[in-house]
Amino acid sequence: AVLRAKQQDKQEQENYLFRLQSFLLKPEMALFIDETHKSANASRRRRAWSKKGVQPVVEAAFEEDFRKRYTLIAACDIDGFVEDACKIVLREPAASDPESGTVDTEKFVKYIEDCVVPVLGSYVEGEPRSVV
């Protein structure tokens, strides 16, 4: 079976590609930014198998960092992740780390200023990473 998102809209995709082609002169000019998170359940194995009649057992290493939650904001270009434009944020606020906690507008703007702007190229000169 093929799974497709209910929100999929072919016309919206075509409109996006058309708009993108109007100012993206080369693929190298594109820089994409996305955010994801990791929580305690993110790496938990949800299924296991065993012989019929035998309860499956999944061994897991419980380390101190296991329950910590993180947010990852990352940027990538045609060559992959741009390491200088990737940031990991510990979700639990810590007095020793003012950048920890939920990524709100203020923290996101700071990420753009501190991590993304320094790796951007010039659009006028057609440089890589000049269209975000």
Side-chain angles (χ1 to χ4, degrees), residues 34-128:
D34 201 2
E35 167 274 333
T36 190
H37 76 280
K38 179 260 176 214
S39 62
N41 288 330
S43 62
R44 181 175 61 96
R45 187 174 181 128
R46 290 170 179 79
R47 292 183 172 60
W49 66 271
S50 68
K51 292 183 179 180
K52 189 173 182 177
V54 176
Q55 183 174 352
V57 175
V58 177
E59 293 186 16
F62 292 99
E63 299 173 12
E64 186 177 322
D65 289 345
F66 175 72
R67 296 246 178 246
K68 289 186 179 178
R69 299 179 309 149
Y70 300 91
T71 296
L72 168 67
I73 310 172
C76 65
D77 61 12
I78 194 167
D79 297 318
F81 285 106
V82 180
E83 195 170 332
D84 291 339
C86 295
K87 183 173 185 71
I88 297 173
V89 179
L90 181 62
R91 296 277 304 270
E92 284 78 23
S96 61
D97 182 8
E99 293 188 2
S100 64
T102 302
V103 177
D104 56 12
T105 302
E106 182 181 323
K107 286 182 183 154
F108 186 74
V109 169
K110 184 164 176 38
Y111 157 76
I112 295 294
E113 293 171 348
D114 295 349
C115 301
V116 176
V117 170
V119 301
L120 292 179
S122 168
Y123 179 79
V124 174
E125 295 179 18
E127 292 180 342

